[in-house]
Amino acid sequence: MIKNYLAKRRIKKFLTTMPKVLAKDYGGNSEYSTGQVETAFKKLGYSEDDLHQVAIAIYCNEEAAKAFGMNESLIKKYKGYPERHRIAFDHATAGSGYDLSGIND
């Protein structure tokens, strides 16, 4: 039970910080390049392969996710994470006024 809670908490934190960094660094887009997503991922200090796949599926286009080795059902599952974790994020208004220091504390 605790392990499940911690996993959900880690994903929720990821889903709130990742788009803020992407929007701040690269503007409020609905899709980013694989390189932009990977740079933001590393900037935040993440190294888990499962979160890397989530980032590619959510923030890149479907072709990039497929090139990364994901099938359509996995892409659909990952794209549903923000809604499942009740994260609402508007790419167009992101990146202004966010203090990203201490994100991985």
Side-chain angles (χ1 to χ4, degrees):
M1 185 167 119
I2 293 174
K3 187 177 181 180
N4 189 28
Y5 168 77
L6 292 174
K8 285 183 179 181
R9 184 175 168 196
R10 178 179 62 114
I11 291 171
K12 189 170 185 172
K13 182 178 179 181
F14 170 76
L15 292 172
T16 57
T17 57
M18 185 72 172
K20 291 175 186 177
V21 170
L22 286 167
K24 183 178 180 185
D25 292 352
Y26 305 109
N29 300 317
S30 60
E31 293 179 347
Y32 297 92
S33 72
T34 305
Q36 290 171 330
V37 171
E38 289 177 349
T39 301
F41 189 79
K42 289 176 185 175
K43 181 177 183 177
L44 288 169
Y46 289 106
S47 61
E48 300 93 357
D49 283 338
D50 56 336
L51 287 180
H52 190 241
Q53 286 187 349
V54 172
I56 297 294
I58 293 175
Y59 304 111
C60 293
N61 62 31
E62 194 169 319
E63 290 79 29
K66 285 180 181 178
F68 197 75
M70 289 179 263
N71 61 31
E72 288 184 33
S73 63
L74 190 59
I75 295 168
K76 185 177 178 180
K77 175 185 171 183
Y78 289 154
K79 284 193 180 280
Y81 272 19
E83 183 178 331
R84 190 172 316 130
H85 291 277
R86 298 185 178 137
I87 303 294
F89 189 79
D90 182 9
H91 291 280
T93 60
S96 57
Y98 291 110
D99 178 18
L100 299 174
S101 61
I103 285 176
N104 283 331
D105 292 340

